[in-house]
Amino acid sequence: ERFSRTPTVVQINTAIEVLEKLAKKIDDDAARSIEHLRESKGADKHAERLEAMTIEQTDSITSVAAKLRNWHDELAQKINQPVSHHV
């Protein structure tokens, strides 16, 4: 019931910002881990898997953020459209 309301443009903006920060954090954390793994002998395969998983995760997050941006733009456009009154 409480999820049936359309979120506000501000709420969608906040969600987009959170997703972008999450993607950056995942990417930064993985980069550090991959760097350490590459320094370890025999950990190249693990580093490659981690890199592939990170790309998959950040691509998914980016996709959701893009969908939210589209929804944001639709809502903003509806808000900015003048209401026509027929006489």
Side-chain angles (χ1 to χ4, degrees), residues 18-85:
V18 168
L19 288 172
E20 288 172 344
K21 287 179 182 182
L22 175 61
K24 174 131 178 52
K25 181 183 179 342
I26 289 170
D27 201 38
D28 291 348
D29 289 349
R32 277 192 299 281
S33 295
I34 290 167
E35 185 179 324
H36 290 295
L37 285 170
R38 296 223 189 265
E39 293 170 0
S40 304
K41 198 164 185 109
D44 282 344
K45 290 288 183 200
H46 186 66
E48 289 172 12
R49 282 193 302 271
L50 179 58
E51 190 170 18
M53 286 180 1
T54 301
I55 290 168
E56 188 177 315
Q57 286 179 332
T58 55
D59 284 353
S60 294
I61 292 169
T62 301
S63 174
V64 171
K67 290 174 185 173
L68 283 174
R69 251 185 229 95
N70 289 339
W71 193 15
H72 169 276
D73 293 346
E74 288 173 18
L75 290 174
Q77 189 175 20
K78 284 181 185 177
I79 291 169
N80 292 328
Q81 284 179 349
V83 178
S84 62
H85 297 282

Side-chain angles (χ1 to χ4, degrees), residues 7-8 10 12 24 29:
T8 66
V10 172
I12 293 174
K24 174 131 178 52
D29 289 349

